[in-house]
Amino acid sequence: MPDRSTILKRFELKEFPQPDMVQLKYPVFMCHGYGAIGSVIKSGPMHDPCMDIRAHGVPAIAPNVVPYARIETRAENWVLLIEKFCKEYGCEKVNVVSHSMGGLDMRCALSKLDIAHRVESLTTIATPHHGSSLADLVLKAPELVTEKLSEMFDWFGDNMYPKTKSDALGSLEQLTCGYVTDVFNPDHPDAEDVDYYSYSAAVGKGTKFSINPMLKFQNNQIFDKEGENDAFVAVESAKWGTHLETVPLSHLAQMHLQMNKESQKIYEKFWLNLLKRLAKNGH
């Protein structure tokens, strides 16, 4: 049985028991990626990270756009929402944090849609800056399969976000390695006055970190073609601008999905460090 001093220590009050406070120059505007898995069980794919950011004293917003649409369409949606957010809350600029395809959306917006004056920095998390072989793999499935999947995703997207027509197949084609590398990247140079940061992620094969058994097949498939990955995007593909870190979280865990005790601690540390790095860099 623990002695009296050990028991009392367990109940010792911390001076500052709340989450660490982080002070940023500008609010955080979050962009989600392809798909709507997170929206089925919560307010949006990036809702949980957004609320965790707020818990550190940083103003943050995580709106939703059409989950299945081409990069250009989603980019236009993000631009409208950034302008609306800045006007409603009196913000000169925002720090954009984009997950997965959301990073390509924002690179498109910054390059083509005259929004750079509103963006202080762009931080991308597991964005396929050089495409994802998973997209190539899905598109190689029999035509009947891809057609049925596309119809299902479009129906799902149209009902979840009726403001904009979904295009699951067209947007998936834009995530292939060939399209992003040969078409998208040459046509979308970085904005001069915006700082670009990136995080990659790796779990499963080639790492010491476990992965949900449901994701093992695609994790292995991507590893064979591109190396270490988070079951959706390879480490090397996610690097853009200043690459900050490779995080041991799956693509879904980055959004606070499919969590366990191990990934919860890593998740909390990752998001806090992201904010601290933005603060350190004067954003």
Side-chain angles (χ1 to χ4, degrees):
M1 182 177 179
D3 59 29
R4 184 170 178 271
S5 61
T6 302
I7 294 173
L8 289 175
K9 192 170 184 180
R10 289 178 183 175
F11 294 95
E12 184 179 343
L13 293 176
K14 295 180 180 179
E15 286 185 320
F16 298 102
Q18 290 75 36
D20 289 358
M21 293 282 287
V22 182
Q23 291 184 311
L24 295 186
K25 188 176 179 181
Y26 299 106
V28 170
F29 184 98
M30 308 184 80
C31 302
H32 65 77
Y34 180 93
I37 296 175
S39 301
V40 176
I41 58 176
K42 50 190 177 182
S43 300
M46 301 303 287
H47 177 74
D48 285 1
C50 180
M51 299 311 291
D52 290 327
I53 288 174
R54 289 188 180 189
H56 291 295
V58 176
I61 195 80
N64 296 312
V65 299
V66 55
Y68 306 102
R70 295 177 69 84
I71 293 170
E72 297 82 4
T73 300
R74 287 164 51 95
E76 291 171 357
N77 278 241
W78 293 125
V79 167
L80 291 174
L81 290 172
I82 288 173
E83 289 287 8
K84 182 179 180 180
F85 175 75
C86 287
K87 288 176 183 176
E88 285 190 3
Y89 291 93
C91 306
E92 179 188 354
K93 292 184 176 183
V94 292
N95 289 298
V96 177
V97 176
S98 295
H99 184 247
S100 196
M101 184 182 180
L104 298 180
D105 300 338
M106 279 309 304
R107 282 181 52 205
C108 174
L110 289 167
S111 181
K112 303 289 186 180
L113 300 180
D114 192 29
I115 195 64
H117 67 288
R118 288 292 197 189
V119 178
E120 168 75 2
S121 67
L122 171 62
T123 300
T124 62
I125 303 166
T127 289
H129 290 294
H130 306 281
S132 173
S133 56
L134 180 61
D136 293 276
L137 180 66
V138 174
L139 290 171
K140 286 179 181 177
E143 186 176 347
L144 182 61
V145 175
T146 56
E147 184 178 316
K148 292 300 180 183
L149 283 174
S150 177
E151 289 176 0
M152 181 179 70
F153 287 153
D154 284 344
W155 175 86
F156 189 50
D158 289 342
N159 279 275
M160 290 197 73
Y161 200 88
K163 294 180 181 180
T164 308
K165 180 66 179 173
S166 290
D167 183 5
L169 190 59
S171 50
L172 187 62
E173 289 171 346
Q174 289 188 315
L175 299 177
T176 60
C177 297
Y179 179 83
V180 180
T181 302
D182 299 333
V183 180
F184 181 84
N185 285 347
D187 194 41
H188 293 84
D190 290 349
E192 292 183 2
D193 297 325
V194 177
D195 289 322
Y196 289 71
Y197 305 102
S198 63
Y199 288 89
S200 56
V203 291
K205 192 170 183 180
T207 78
K208 63 179 181 179
F209 298 95
S210 61
I211 189 170
N212 188 299
M214 294 177 62
L215 301 176
K216 275 190 175 181
F217 174 76
Q218 61 199 63
N219 177 241
N220 290 340
Q221 292 293 312
I222 299 172
F223 183 88
D224 291 343
K225 290 191 168 51
E226 301 180 80
E228 293 181 1
N229 63 87
D230 66 357
F232 283 81
V233 178
V235 168
E236 291 304 314
S237 182
K239 294 179 179 180
W240 195 265
T242 301
H243 180 250
L244 298 172
E245 184 184 357
T246 298
V247 185
L249 288 171
S250 76
H251 207 72
L252 298 182
Q254 295 153 27
M255 299 181 286
H256 206 237
L257 293 169
Q258 293 187 348
M259 305 297 290
N260 56 36
K261 191 173 182 179
E262 175 192 34
S263 59
Q264 179 65 34
K265 291 180 180 179
I266 297 170
Y267 165 89
E268 292 172 359
K269 182 179 179 181
F270 163 64
W271 283 103
L272 176 57
N273 285 344
L274 184 151
L275 295 176
K276 287 183 175 180
R277 281 177 172 140
L278 286 174
K280 183 179 179 181
N281 290 328
H283 301 306

